Amino acid sequence: MSKEVVLTGLRSNDEFHLGNYLGAILPMVELQKKHAGEYQLHMFIPDLHSFTTPIDHSKLFAQTIDNLKVFVAAGLDINNPNTLIYRQSYIPAHSEMTWILNCFSYFGELSRMTEFKDKSSKSDSENISAGLFTYPVLMAADILLYDAKWIPVGDDQRQHLEFTRNLAIRMNNKFGKLFVVPEDSPKQQKFSNRTESVRIRSLRNPDKKMSKSIEDPAGTILLSDTPEAASKKVMEATTDSVGVVHYDWEKQPGITNLMQILDLLNNSAGIAKKWEGKTSYGDLKTEVASAVNDFMRGLQSKLAQIDEAKLIKKLEKDEETMSQLASAKLLKVQQAVGLRPKAIKH
């Protein structure tokens, strides 16, 4: 590829919530606006990743399309020639590359993955899928198939990125130059221009992140919620007994979470500062609720206007392109490991 590759994506197993939108979707769209002319952007839907935890399989296919619409409503320009959108499962090379890489990954290093240990500790160990254990290898295949150098990830994925780097170096040392090694985490953070990840907290339990994966309907604003229901959740958000507004994640996570949401919805890092030192939690909630109401109305209006047929046509076109690219890389690896005859040089 003539341009360096930036790769990013979000699982499609659940509908998005406000935390996904502010913490991941908007940064991806901003990434496109900033880099699409300089880099080739892969904004893919990792639908195969959805099986690592229990899901409603009857909704997965439709949810993938619905979630892609959210990206478009957020401002993703799908007509940009340097931006490619595709579903992971529609590129067979992802699965075959994963098996090959699995055989060069070590049980010990996968056992040390923090995300696996955290998720498996909360479940019945007899029912934890092997997919959750080997998920980092699939993520490595997603990256290495396209020689992606830049992979903006959150804190919970940085260990997986380092695993990908180690695996690429291991394969290159054994078989010659097969893969581009992604940049390390400090360089990735500098590239994405973010010193720390945005993590929107639950409105009812601000010590935890906003997530549909936990039973927290009152603390999570789904993008399908009515504006009125979303505003009501803000007004009922858990705060504290301090009585004075301070931006302090340790002592006042609920209040700080509301201030963060207000800043992000206004695309400003300082609008919430005016609340510092004030004593009216109710007035702060009212302003955040109003901002959330306006946001939900605007987003849902944009979602209703998206041409689904046009979106799917772009998706299928890009999947043809990506399948060719991925198959070429897979063949190179197959030749290196002895599954295919090496090309004869004339």
Side-chain angles (χ1 to χ4, degrees):
M1 296 181 185
S2 59
K3 296 181 179 180
E4 290 183 354
V5 173
V6 181
L7 183 144
T8 188
L10 282 178
R11 289 205 307 169
S12 57
N13 52 307
D14 285 320
E15 66 173 295
F16 292 144
H17 53 69
L18 184 64
N20 297 137
Y21 188 91
L22 297 177
I25 296 169
L26 274 187
M28 290 183 195
V29 173
E30 290 302 316
L31 200 67
Q32 183 197 49
K33 292 177 180 177
K34 182 179 179 180
H35 294 303
E38 185 179 356
Y39 298 87
Q40 185 179 89
L41 303 185
H42 294 192
M43 294 193 172
F44 79 118
I45 301 292
D47 49 359
L48 290 174
H49 289 193
S50 301
F51 302 149
T52 60
T53 52
I55 64 168
D56 184 342
H57 294 272
S58 68
K59 296 180 179 179
L60 179 59
F61 182 84
Q63 194 64 63
T64 296
I65 302 300
D66 288 344
N67 286 0
L68 193 53
K69 289 180 182 178
V70 175
F71 280 95
V72 178
L76 182 69
D77 180 8
I78 62 172
N79 296 315
N80 191 303
N82 291 306
T83 296
L84 294 151
I85 58 175
Y86 56 98
R87 291 161 290 190
Q88 181 189 44
S89 68
Y90 278 66
I91 317 294
H94 283 255
S95 298
E96 187 164 353
M97 181 68 84
T98 298
W99 175 252
I100 294 173
L101 295 180
N102 257 324
C103 295
F104 294 91
S105 302
Y106 303 146
F107 181 86
E109 61 189 347
L110 291 175
S111 299
R112 291 190 292 272
M113 294 293 152
T114 301
E115 189 175 26
F116 171 75
K117 291 191 290 185
D118 287 347
K119 288 183 178 179
S120 60
S121 67
K122 300 173 185 176
S123 307
D124 179 356
S125 60
E126 291 296 320
N127 296 322
I128 298 169
S129 76
L132 180 61
F133 184 73
T134 60
Y135 154 70
V137 186
L138 176 57
M139 181 174 168
D142 299 335
I143 295 168
L144 300 179
L145 269 173
Y146 305 104
D147 287 334
K149 188 174 183 179
W150 303 105
I151 306 92
V153 294
D155 295 336
D156 57 346
Q157 296 295 320
R158 285 178 187 155
Q159 190 180 27
H160 295 166
L161 177 60
E162 289 307 311
F163 165 76
T164 299
R165 284 171 43 80
N166 292 338
L167 186 54
I169 292 169
R170 183 180 306 153
M171 295 290 284
N172 286 349
N173 286 342
K174 187 174 182 66
F175 297 108
K177 182 66 174 177
L178 289 177
F179 303 117
V180 168
V181 179
E183 296 291 357
D184 61 21
S185 291
K187 290 181 180 178
Q188 298 286 352
Q189 284 183 279
K190 185 176 180 181
F191 175 81
S192 59
N193 198 30
R194 297 173 71 181
T195 56
E196 60 182 39
S197 300
V198 172
R199 181 164 293 189
I200 305 299
R201 309 288 183 88
S202 163
L203 295 173
R204 299 309 296 269
N205 187 355
D207 290 326
K208 295 182 178 181
K209 69 178 181 178
M210 185 176 288
S211 173
K212 195 169 182 276
S213 63
I214 59 175
E215 294 301 321
D216 186 29
T220 299
I221 295 176
L222 298 175
L223 298 185
S224 61
D225 283 346
T226 66
E228 293 75 19
S231 298
K232 186 172 184 290
K233 290 179 180 180
V234 173
M235 295 303 297
E236 295 175 351
T238 298
T239 52
D240 54 64
S241 59
V242 175
V244 180
V245 175
H246 291 300
Y247 194 93
D248 187 330
W249 282 114
E250 183 176 345
K251 297 179 180 179
Q252 295 183 262
I255 285 292
T256 305
N257 191 40
L258 292 175
M259 296 172 76
Q260 176 183 236
I261 291 171
L262 185 60
D263 273 348
L264 292 170
L265 289 178
N266 285 280
N267 194 28
S268 168
I271 194 169
K273 286 183 179 179
K274 67 181 181 180
W275 289 98
E276 187 72 29
K278 293 188 177 181
T279 58
S280 177
Y281 287 6
D283 288 345
L284 171 60
K285 285 184 176 181
T286 297
E287 182 167 341
V288 177
S290 177
V292 167
N293 187 296
D294 290 344
F295 161 75
M296 296 290 283
R297 290 185 186 280
L299 178 68
Q300 290 173 4
S301 175
K302 291 175 183 175
L303 284 169
Q305 297 173 34
I306 292 174
D307 185 336
E308 183 172 314
K310 182 179 179 181
L311 177 61
I312 292 177
K313 184 177 181 180
K314 160 68 174 176
L315 191 60
E316 292 174 343
K317 178 177 180 293
D318 284 357
E319 284 165 353
E320 289 183 14
T321 300
M322 301 314 291
S323 188
Q324 292 175 7
L325 289 173
S327 294
K329 173 61 72 172
L330 176 61
L331 176 59
K332 183 177 181 180
V333 174
Q334 288 170 328
Q335 290 171 331
V337 301
L339 293 172
R340 300 288 187 273
K342 292 186 177 180
I344 299 174
K345 296 181 179 180
H346 296 285

